């Protein structure tokens, strides 16, 4: 019974909110952010105050997951971006 309620809740939620593919990683959304602003990984790294783009390359290639500080750096630098989109993929991208 509880499984039916859970499945039903997910179906209702999916119908009411536009959601990215749940398998999409944060790195995929960071790539989308870069595309939106027409930035390279190097440019985004410099905007965030990083010495080089290595950390971002690992995230974009989904070889690692971002830490709290990395997520906060992105959200602080792009305050118009929704944290729900960056972390979970809930649309829309911007407030």
């Amino acid at each position: 019974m509880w499984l039916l309620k859970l499945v039903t809740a997910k179906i209702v939620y999916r119908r009411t909110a536009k959601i990215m593919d749940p398998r999409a990683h944060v790195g995929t959304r960071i790539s989308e952010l870069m595309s939106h602003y027409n930035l390279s990984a190097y440019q985004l790294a410099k905007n965030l105050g990083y010495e080089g783009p290595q950390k971002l390359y690992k995230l974009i290639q989904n070889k690692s997951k971002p830490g709290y500080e990395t997520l906060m750096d992105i959200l602080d630098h792009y305050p118009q971006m929704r944290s729900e989109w960056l972390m979970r993929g809930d649309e829309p991208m911007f407030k």
Side-chain angles (χ1 to χ4, degrees), residues 27-41 43-44 47 60 74 77-82 85-86 91-95:
T28 305
R29 291 186 286 279
I30 292 171
S31 287
E32 288 184 36
L33 173 70
M34 290 168 41
S35 294
H36 180 80
Y37 287 106
N38 198 26
L39 297 171
S40 67
Q43 291 168 322
L44 180 59
N47 288 350
I60 292 166
I74 294 170
H77 193 77
Y78 299 98
Q80 68 279 17
M81 185 181 6
R82 293 179 62 242
W85 176 81
L86 182 61
E91 298 283 344
M93 179 190 281
F94 298 106
K95 296 176 185 176

Side-chain angles (χ1 to χ4, degrees), residues 53-91:
Q54 294 81 4
K55 179 190 286 192
L56 294 177
Y57 283 136
K58 287 181 182 179
L59 293 173
I60 292 166
Q61 296 168 357
N62 296 316
K63 291 184 178 180
S64 68
K65 295 181 180 180
Y68 175 79
E69 290 186 15
T70 303
L71 293 171
M72 290 309 298
D73 288 343
I74 294 170
L75 292 170
D76 286 344
H77 193 77
Y78 299 98
Q80 68 279 17
M81 185 181 6
R82 293 179 62 242
S83 60
E84 295 88 353
W85 176 81
L86 182 61
M87 291 187 256
R88 294 192 313 247
D90 296 351
E91 298 283 344

